[in-house]
């Protein structure tokens, strides 16, 4: 049974969604979809790998987090936690946090089967259950950020738990993708809605309750959230589609990737003073 069937999804609504409803929907969706998602994408993300995005950019090549050996690193929206396990193999004291219990059960099973177990924490990104200045770095590869109604709260929470000088790197759908449908083929090359329309994408059940929610913010919104949290934005990485990569991953494809970016990676740090 698909997640849509399990959650009785019947259609799409255009309306506002607050933080509580968004979190309920995300927890239910990823609990229902974890098995199918990992069955489809296990080969893309690996068990002991850190892949930032569907373009295939790896942390082993990009080095966006810097040297993590001996450092405490928090992964937010970890899913089955392949990135956290990769960080552990590099000598980091990695912690994986996710909203979904089903995803974390997969993470625990993979920790046992690979022999690389990391601490697992179930919580939302807007309220991190850690003390101030607990981590040397934090990361999120398409994790919690696109699914929260108040991403500014996530930025403030990350700033709080980072030690001075700590890096925060997060990958999200490139904001300009909001203008296009989620079609990897030719129909996905036509603008269908305004870049400035921040109404979330909401799937609903027969009662009108959200079963899946994804939120849009512009590039400017993302920058303002980072800066307002007291963080410094060092870079915005827009990975190009690699030549010869034929993999289609959801809305990402060679056709679209040759024309416009699909991912934006924000590289930030907490200042020393």
């Amino acid at each position: 049974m698909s997640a849509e069937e399990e959650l009785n999804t019947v259609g799409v609504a255009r309306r506002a969604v607050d933080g509580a409803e968004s979190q309920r929907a995300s927890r239910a969706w990823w609990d229902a979809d974890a098995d199918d998602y990992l069955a489809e994408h296990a080969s893309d993300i690996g068990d002991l790998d850190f892949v930032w995005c569907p373009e295939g950019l790896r942390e082993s090549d990009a080095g966006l987090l810097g040297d993590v050996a001996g450092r405490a690193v928090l992964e937010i929206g970890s899913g089955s936690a392949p990135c956290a396990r990769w960080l552990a193999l590099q000598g980091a004291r990695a912690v994986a946090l996710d909203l979904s219990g089903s995803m974390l059960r997969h993470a625990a099973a993979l920790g046992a089967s690979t022999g690389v177990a990391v601490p697992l924490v179930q919580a939302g990104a807007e309220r991190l259950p850690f003390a101030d200045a607990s981590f040397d770095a934090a990361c999120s590869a398409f994790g919690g950020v696109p699914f929260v109604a108040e991403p500014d709260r996530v930025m403030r929470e990350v700033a709080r738990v980072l030690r001075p000088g700590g890096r925060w790197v997060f990958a999200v759908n490139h904001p300009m993708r909001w203008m296009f449908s989620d079609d990897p083929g030719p129909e996905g090359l036509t603008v269908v809605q305004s870049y400035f329309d921040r109404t979330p994408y909401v799937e609903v059940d027969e009662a009108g309750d959200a079963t899946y929610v994804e939120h849009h913010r512009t590039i400017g919104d993302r920058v303002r959230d980072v800066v307002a949290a007291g963080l410094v934005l060092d870079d915005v990485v827009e990975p190009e589609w690699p030549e010869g990569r034929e993999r289609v991953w959801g809305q990402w494809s060679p056709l679209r990737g040759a024309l416009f970016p699909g991912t934006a990676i924000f590289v930030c740090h907490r200042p020393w003073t």
Side-chain angles (χ1 to χ4, degrees):
M1 180 183 296
S2 69
E4 289 89 352
E5 292 169 330
E6 183 174 337
L7 299 174
N8 298 311
T9 299
V10 297
V12 177
R14 290 189 54 78
R15 62 172 174 83
V17 178
D18 65 19
E21 184 181 16
S22 188
Q23 186 174 96
R24 286 195 302 272
S26 289
R27 185 191 298 269
W29 172 264
W30 291 109
D31 280 348
D33 194 53
D35 292 351
D36 287 347
Y37 178 86
L38 293 172
E40 182 178 358
H41 293 296
S43 62
D44 296 313
I45 63 177
D47 293 339
L48 297 166
D49 204 355
F50 193 139
V51 181
W52 278 110
C53 52
E55 289 85 356
L57 181 68
R58 285 174 161 78
E59 176 61 12
S60 57
D61 297 319
L64 300 179
L65 290 169
D67 184 3
V68 298
R71 297 183 178 274
V73 184
L74 173 64
E75 184 185 7
I76 297 173
S78 65
S80 60
C83 300
R85 288 190 294 276
W86 181 88
L87 289 166
L89 288 175
Q90 314 313 306
R93 302 191 308 278
V95 176
L97 177 144
D98 201 272
L99 185 64
S100 166
S102 292
M103 279 293 190
L104 291 176
R105 283 192 288 276
H106 280 281
L110 286 165
S113 65
T114 62
V116 185
V118 298
L120 306 174
V121 178
Q122 185 174 10
E126 305 98 315
R127 295 178 181 85
L128 299 176
F130 305 105
D132 296 355
S134 297
F135 294 95
D136 300 298
C139 58
S140 185
F142 281 82
V145 178
F147 304 102
V148 299
E150 299 171 290
D152 55 314
R153 294 184 60 169
V154 178
M155 302 302 144
R156 292 198 300 271
E157 278 289 273
V158 171
R160 179 184 64 79
V161 303
L162 279 180
R163 296 179 181 126
R167 293 194 189 185
W168 164 227
V169 185
F170 65 97
V172 295
N173 291 16
H174 198 288
M176 73 169 292
R177 283 290 177 103
W178 193 252
M179 298 185 294
F180 304 90
S181 67
D182 285 351
D183 188 327
E187 292 187 7
L189 303 179
T190 302
V191 171
V192 295
Q193 65 184 16
S194 170
Y195 172 79
F196 302 103
D197 182 358
R198 295 166 178 84
T199 306
Y201 173 80
V202 188
E203 296 179 2
V204 296
D205 61 18
E206 290 182 345
D209 295 325
T211 60
Y212 178 89
V213 183
E214 194 165 333
H215 297 271
H216 167 61
R217 296 294 183 272
T218 67
I219 284 281
D221 293 336
R222 296 292 187 204
V223 171
R224 282 185 288 274
D225 285 348
V226 166
V227 173
L231 298 164
V232 176
L233 179 63
D234 298 307
D235 196 5
V236 179
V237 179
E238 299 167 295
E240 295 188 34
W241 194 267
E243 184 177 352
R245 182 174 176 82
E246 298 301 322
R247 179 76 168 106
V248 174
W249 182 339
Q251 61 172 287
W252 286 263
S253 66
L255 175 66
R256 285 158 62 100
L259 298 173
F260 50 83
T263 298
I265 307 175
F266 293 81
V267 184
C268 322
H269 75 273
R270 178 180 169 180
W272 286 97
T273 57

